[in-house]
Amino acid sequence: MKYWLMKSEPDDISIDDLQHSPQQTMSWQGIRNYQARNFIRDEMNTGDSVLFYHSSCKVPGVVGIATVVSQPQRDDTALDPQSRYFDPKSDPSKPRWWQVDIQFTAKLNHIVSLQQLKSDPVLRDMVLVTKGARLSVQPVTAEEFCHIVSLGQ
């Protein structure tokens, strides 16, 4: 099993949206960064755990936990001209963009803020707190995952 941090603006998709979606499951689509895409396409598997992170909001931070519940698959929003994620260079026979489905696992009792994450010595090597790290999908170690979840309880 691997561990991930996935960022979403809460105005787009929030932990509450995930919790209240059918079967508490959503497709994580619209990723248009090649490195984030490669993590999804090449390294994610069913059963992986996800820290759900709210970004671009008043208090950015980890707000919940989800589980990857599908193998990586073609992101069809890239093929839909009506989608804001449309990519005219996408080819259905040779997908450029990938997605996975995630399922709600739990909401943390309180947000573990970016400020708190940055100031925690246990997390000093975490990708998220590295200068210039802005990926919406990024790996997390098992130790980092467990530590953050404990901070949110």
Side-chain angles (χ1 to χ4, degrees):
M1 178 192 333
K2 293 185 180 178
Y3 299 90
W4 304 96
L5 182 137
M6 297 172 86
K7 294 181 183 178
S8 179
E9 295 178 14
D11 290 343
D12 188 24
I13 298 174
S14 71
I15 191 71
D16 293 329
D17 293 333
L18 179 60
Q19 184 177 16
H20 297 106
S21 64
Q23 287 87 44
Q24 296 184 315
T25 302
M26 294 182 128
S27 294
W28 200 266
Q29 50 195 197
I31 302 303
R32 298 298 182 264
N33 172 285
Y34 288 105
Q35 188 173 6
R37 184 253 350 237
N38 292 347
F39 286 138
I40 290 173
R41 183 191 66 194
D42 302 337
E43 297 189 39
M44 277 193 181
N45 286 296
T46 303
D48 287 357
S49 292
V50 174
L51 294 171
F52 197 108
Y53 182 96
H54 282 174
S55 65
S56 300
C57 56
K58 188 175 180 177
V59 181
V62 177
V63 295
I65 306 166
T67 303
V68 176
V69 293
S70 76
Q71 288 301 112
Q73 56 203 303
R74 180 181 71 200
D75 182 348
D76 286 335
T77 63
L79 305 171
D80 179 1
Q82 304 304 313
S83 172
R84 67 180 174 153
Y85 301 118
F86 177 63
D87 180 352
K89 294 181 180 178
S90 290
D91 178 349
S93 64
K94 189 177 177 190
R96 176 181 284 189
W97 304 113
W98 293 76
Q99 69 179 39
V100 290
D101 294 340
I102 63 168
Q103 186 172 55
F104 176 84
T105 302
K107 196 170 175 179
L108 297 182
N109 292 330
H110 58 83
I111 188 170
V112 182
S113 71
L114 177 59
Q115 181 180 13
Q116 186 178 1
L117 296 168
K118 284 182 173 183
S119 66
D120 192 317
V122 173
L123 304 172
R124 71 182 170 277
D125 296 325
M126 186 177 181
V127 173
L128 179 71
V129 302
T130 305
K131 187 173 181 165
R134 298 189 41 87
L135 287 175
S136 59
V137 176
Q138 52 191 255
V140 176
T141 68
E143 179 186 21
E144 291 164 347
F145 184 92
C146 293
H147 183 68
I148 292 167
V149 169
S150 72
L151 294 173
Q153 299 304 326

